[in-house]
Amino acid sequence: MRTVDAAGLKIGDEHPPRIMGVLNVSKESPYDPSVFDDPGDAAEYVDRELIDEGADIVDIGLESANKRFEVLSAEQELDRLDTAVETLESVSGDAIFSIETRYHEVADAALSQGFDMVNDICGFADPEMPRVCSAHDVAVAKMASPPDLTRPGAIEDVDDIYEALGLNGFTDKTIVDPAFGGWSEAKTLDDDRETFRRLREFRGLGYPILVSINRKNFLRSVAGRSTEEALPVSLAATSMAVERGAHIIRTHDVAETRDAALIGKEFARDRLRDHRTGDVGIEELDVTTTREAERHLERIGGSSESAGGESDPRAASATAVVRVFELTGLSDGDVGVLSTAAAEVGVTVVSAGSEAPNQSVLADGNGNFSATDSTGRTAVVFGTPRAFTALDDAVDDQSAALADALRRISASLA
């Protein structure tokens, strides 16, 4: 994972989570507390409510990206840029200033007048945007979007987000944003939840991650909260997002979000990272699923030398992640069959010594597990997804109950 330098602010795994506070100079923006058309009032808000509360970055929007509103042209955005520039010049606090836009002309003008970075809500749908950002040597946040300047964030299938983030390539200082929110009619709350579950997957691109989840519908719906009541769910999700690898949190609630982000960072799993000059670099990857492993293999162009003899990233990923299951309610015969088959396919089995009352863990076809009381032996089984598939095949029907359990494990790993 590379570290991005945004006008001196380091963004990456080895640095604290960064907080991006929001200011809008667009009267149509839906969040009233952050909307200003007077530069003096806007600057006061930035100093008092954003920078003094802990914002590292101030993101200024010239128009609402809400799909309900008409898209402004580049010329219309440029007409509003003066207010943003005057605000920037009137702020007394110290922060990095980001311009939110979809047009390279607006980005170029803003960067020429004091802005430090770009938040591209259309993810390089304007193919000139990466050239402008590279020419100015600035960081650019790139939100997953279709190649259409009128449809920011409108990726309708979670599986397409990763590919969308690669639209028109990357600059050396790109930050990726998986585009949480209702950017299209087809996108559901379940889609946002699935994107959040898979947040680590986007680390496979090798660039820092920005998330904008503050008071979003997919969080509010879990707890049944209105926008005004949704701060607690936003803060819970913020800690989880940082623990899963997010580097920038975009928010209207700066002080509270900063604290939640720091908690997420503090209790994230430590990963070895050592890149001493002249030595072999080391970085432990944050991989928990085969899909995450596949993304990293794709990024480096994984070959047989680095992927257990498999040149295809999808096939290689099945040998790259270890999963662990506890099986209970096993008979002595089950343990014998399991241990014999496991030795043949490279699965590790550790079992208890004798049958005894315990809880049996059952799984349905969707990989959901529940516990029921039973009598029998317990085994903890360690292996890769491919090894578990082979174990399923090896056991076959020697033990109906064990074979059924292994089939359900294999299905959950698909």
XYZ file of all heavy atoms in Angstrom, residues 355-400:
327
model
N -15.432 -38.480 23.154
C -16.766 -37.935 23.002
C -17.242 -37.325 24.315
O -17.038 -37.882 25.388
C -17.745 -39.022 22.550
C -17.449 -39.552 21.154
C -18.547 -40.484 20.662
O -19.635 -40.473 21.267
O -18.317 -41.207 19.680
N -17.880 -36.134 24.222
C -18.380 -35.463 25.414
C -19.477 -34.507 24.994
O -19.545 -34.085 23.842
C -17.241 -34.683 26.104
N -20.381 -34.122 25.904
C -21.425 -33.156 25.561
C -20.800 -31.836 25.111
O -19.827 -31.371 25.692
C -22.207 -32.982 26.875
C -21.923 -34.218 27.644
C -20.518 -34.607 27.285
N -21.349 -31.251 24.072
C -20.841 -29.962 23.590
C -21.925 -29.283 22.756
O -23.046 -29.756 22.695
C -19.564 -30.142 22.769
C -19.751 -31.147 21.638
O -20.793 -31.175 20.994
N -18.735 -31.977 21.421
N -21.550 -28.179 22.133
C -22.458 -27.504 21.214
C -22.075 -27.848 19.791
O -20.907 -27.790 19.417
C -22.410 -25.983 21.387
C -23.257 -25.478 22.545
C -23.495 -24.001 22.414
O -22.654 -23.257 21.932
N -24.656 -23.556 22.872
N -23.039 -28.192 18.986
C -22.803 -28.510 17.581
C -23.079 -27.282 16.730
O -24.113 -26.631 16.894
C -23.713 -29.662 17.153
O -23.516 -29.956 15.795
N -22.163 -26.948 15.856
C -22.315 -25.794 14.979
C -22.860 -26.259 13.635
O -22.252 -27.096 12.972
C -20.971 -25.064 14.785
C -21.168 -23.859 13.867
C -20.432 -24.612 16.133
N -24.027 -25.716 13.253
C -24.673 -26.094 12.014
C -24.657 -24.929 11.050
O -24.762 -23.771 11.456
C -26.129 -26.521 12.275
C -26.321 -27.696 13.255
C -27.807 -27.959 13.447
C -25.605 -28.940 12.754
N -24.548 -25.215 9.760
C -24.534 -24.164 8.740
C -25.616 -24.434 7.716
O -25.841 -25.578 7.328
C -23.176 -24.106 8.043
N -26.290 -23.358 7.263
C -27.229 -23.521 6.169
C -26.502 -23.289 4.849
O -25.297 -23.054 4.804
C -28.441 -22.584 6.319
C -28.057 -21.109 6.293
O -26.973 -20.783 5.768
O -28.847 -20.287 6.785
N -27.221 -23.329 3.729
C -26.596 -23.210 2.413
C -26.010 -21.846 2.131
O -25.260 -21.670 1.176
N -26.354 -20.851 2.970
C -25.813 -19.500 2.779
C -24.621 -19.223 3.677
O -24.174 -18.087 3.780
C -26.902 -18.458 3.049
C -28.038 -18.542 2.051
O -27.790 -18.727 0.862
N -29.276 -18.436 2.535
N -24.123 -20.256 4.351
C -22.966 -20.069 5.215
C -23.323 -19.465 6.561
O -22.449 -18.994 7.280
N -24.621 -19.493 6.955
C -25.029 -18.979 8.264
C -24.983 -20.119 9.272
O -25.522 -21.207 9.032
C -26.449 -18.409 8.180
C -26.541 -17.269 7.194
O -25.718 -16.367 7.232
N -27.544 -17.306 6.324
N -24.370 -19.862 10.429
C -24.137 -20.911 11.401
C -25.001 -20.703 12.645
O -25.241 -19.576 13.074
C -22.654 -20.948 11.804
C -21.755 -21.456 10.716
C -21.359 -20.614 9.683
C -21.343 -22.771 10.692
C -20.550 -21.075 8.672
C -20.528 -23.243 9.675
C -20.134 -22.400 8.663
N -25.468 -21.800 13.224
C -26.212 -21.754 14.475
C -25.730 -22.890 15.371
O -25.161 -23.876 14.903
C -27.720 -21.881 14.214
O -27.997 -23.107 13.571
N -25.955 -22.754 16.675
C -25.438 -23.740 17.626
C -26.584 -24.538 18.249
O -27.612 -23.977 18.625
C -24.633 -23.044 18.724
N -26.395 -25.851 18.368
C -27.358 -26.713 19.046
C -26.599 -27.664 19.953
O -25.452 -28.026 19.683
C -28.182 -27.542 18.045
O -27.306 -28.354 17.272
C -28.964 -26.636 17.096
N -27.224 -28.063 21.041
C -26.573 -28.998 21.958
C -26.473 -30.385 21.323
O -27.379 -30.838 20.641
C -27.362 -29.102 23.264
C -27.285 -27.809 24.069
O -26.263 -27.119 23.945
O -28.247 -27.514 24.803
N -25.344 -31.064 21.535
C -25.171 -32.413 21.001
C -24.115 -33.121 21.835
O -23.503 -32.549 22.725
C -24.733 -32.362 19.540
O -23.435 -31.818 19.439
N -23.928 -34.387 21.530
C -22.875 -35.157 22.181
C -21.930 -35.650 21.105
O -22.347 -36.112 20.052
C -23.470 -36.363 22.935
O -24.377 -35.876 23.931
C -22.374 -37.180 23.608
N -20.622 -35.573 21.368
C -19.653 -36.036 20.391
C -18.325 -35.344 20.575
O -18.117 -34.602 21.529
N -17.447 -35.613 19.665
C -16.112 -35.021 19.713
C -16.064 -33.722 18.930
O -16.880 -33.485 18.041
C -15.083 -36.017 19.178
C -14.938 -37.253 20.074
C -13.939 -38.229 19.499
N -12.592 -37.650 19.406
C -11.524 -38.323 18.967
N -11.663 -39.573 18.566
N -10.350 -37.744 18.915
N -15.074 -32.894 19.251
C -14.881 -31.602 18.596
C -13.565 -31.612 17.841
O -12.561 -32.150 18.326
C -14.870 -30.466 19.637
O -16.140 -30.413 20.277
C -14.584 -29.118 18.981
N -13.564 -31.014 16.664
C -12.324 -30.862 15.890
C -12.267 -29.447 15.327
O -13.292 -28.889 14.900
C -12.275 -31.881 14.754
N -11.084 -28.877 15.346
C -10.835 -27.604 14.681
C -10.042 -27.916 13.419
O -9.022 -28.610 13.468
C -10.066 -26.628 15.591
C -9.768 -25.335 14.847
C -10.887 -26.336 16.843
N -10.536 -27.399 12.293
C -9.987 -27.770 10.990
C -9.463 -26.522 10.289
O -10.176 -25.525 10.162
C -11.069 -28.444 10.118
C -10.466 -29.001 8.839
C -11.776 -29.548 10.897
N -8.198 -26.579 9.843
C -7.523 -25.452 9.195
C -7.182 -25.838 7.757
O -6.598 -26.905 7.520
C -6.195 -25.110 9.899
C -6.288 -24.830 11.368
C -6.445 -25.860 12.285
C -6.206 -23.525 11.841
C -6.507 -25.600 13.649
C -6.261 -23.264 13.199
C -6.421 -24.299 14.105
N -7.506 -24.958 6.798
C -7.126 -25.262 5.426
C -7.492 -24.146 4.471
O -8.224 -23.222 4.812
N -6.982 -24.233 3.262
C -7.327 -23.267 2.227
C -8.674 -23.656 1.608
O -9.118 -24.805 1.735
C -6.268 -23.243 1.127
O -6.285 -24.504 0.445
C -4.879 -22.980 1.695
N -9.348 -22.730 0.926
C -10.606 -23.096 0.253
C -10.448 -24.280 -0.692
O -11.311 -25.159 -0.747
C -10.967 -21.800 -0.488
C -10.422 -20.717 0.385
C -9.119 -21.269 0.885
N -9.353 -24.308 -1.441
C -9.146 -25.434 -2.358
C -8.974 -26.744 -1.584
O -9.513 -27.786 -1.981
C -7.930 -25.192 -3.235
C -7.538 -26.413 -4.071
C -6.548 -26.073 -5.148
N -7.174 -25.220 -6.163
C -6.528 -24.708 -7.199
N -5.251 -24.966 -7.364
N -7.151 -23.949 -8.059
N -8.275 -26.678 -0.467
C -8.068 -27.891 0.324
C -9.384 -28.387 0.917
O -9.627 -29.594 0.997
C -7.041 -27.632 1.423
N -10.253 -27.460 1.343
C -11.550 -27.878 1.866
C -12.405 -28.531 0.777
O -13.139 -29.490 1.044
C -12.292 -26.692 2.485
C -11.934 -26.440 3.920
C -11.212 -25.322 4.292
C -12.324 -27.336 4.908
C -10.884 -25.090 5.619
C -12.000 -27.121 6.243
C -11.264 -25.997 6.601
N -12.314 -28.035 -0.439
C -13.040 -28.667 -1.545
C -12.529 -30.076 -1.779
O -13.305 -31.021 -1.981
C -12.878 -27.827 -2.823
O -13.433 -26.531 -2.605
C -13.586 -28.487 -4.002
N -11.204 -30.229 -1.732
C -10.609 -31.558 -1.898
C -10.998 -32.474 -0.741
O -11.229 -33.679 -0.930
C -9.091 -31.441 -2.007
N -11.075 -31.914 0.459
C -11.473 -32.705 1.625
C -12.899 -33.198 1.470
O -13.206 -34.367 1.768
C -11.339 -31.855 2.886
C -11.679 -32.534 4.222
C -10.700 -33.675 4.495
C -11.648 -31.512 5.355
N -13.759 -32.336 0.976
C -15.146 -32.719 0.713
C -15.202 -33.898 -0.252
O -15.918 -34.891 -0.029
C -15.884 -31.501 0.149
C -17.340 -31.774 -0.186
O -17.891 -32.779 0.296
O -17.918 -30.965 -0.930
N -14.420 -33.806 -1.327
C -14.399 -34.889 -2.319
C -13.830 -36.176 -1.738
O -14.296 -37.290 -2.052
C -13.571 -34.474 -3.532
C -14.211 -33.339 -4.316
O -15.433 -33.151 -4.200
O -13.468 -32.626 -5.034
N -12.804 -36.037 -0.875
C -12.132 -37.226 -0.330
C -13.019 -37.980 0.654
O -13.019 -39.215 0.691
C -10.827 -36.819 0.354
N -13.794 -37.252 1.453
C -14.644 -37.919 2.443
C -15.826 -38.601 1.767
O -16.247 -39.695 2.151
C -15.136 -36.897 3.499
C -16.248 -37.508 4.358
C -13.964 -36.473 4.371
N -16.349 -37.929 0.733
C -17.462 -38.483 -0.046
C -18.587 -38.884 0.916
O -19.028 -38.072 1.710
C -16.966 -39.652 -0.894
C -17.949 -40.032 -1.997
O -18.760 -39.149 -2.373
O -17.895 -41.165 -2.471
N -19.044 -40.122 0.858
C -20.161 -40.542 1.708
C -19.738 -41.586 2.734
O -20.548 -42.422 3.172
C -21.308 -41.095 0.849
C -21.991 -40.000 0.044
O -22.093 -38.878 0.576
O -22.404 -40.265 -1.098
N -18.468 -41.548 3.136
C -18.025 -42.496 4.167
C -18.749 -42.242 5.484
O -18.940 -43.145 6.288
C -16.519 -42.386 4.368
C -15.718 -42.754 3.121
C -14.229 -42.578 3.369
O -13.665 -43.219 4.246
N -13.602 -41.716 2.590
N -19.115 -40.986 5.715
C -19.910 -40.618 6.880
C -20.888 -39.555 6.409
O -20.484 -38.461 6.035
C -19.019 -40.067 8.002
O -19.813 -39.437 8.999
N -22.176 -39.893 6.428
C -23.172 -38.998 5.842
C -23.191 -37.634 6.534
O -23.224 -36.588 5.883
C -24.554 -39.647 5.904
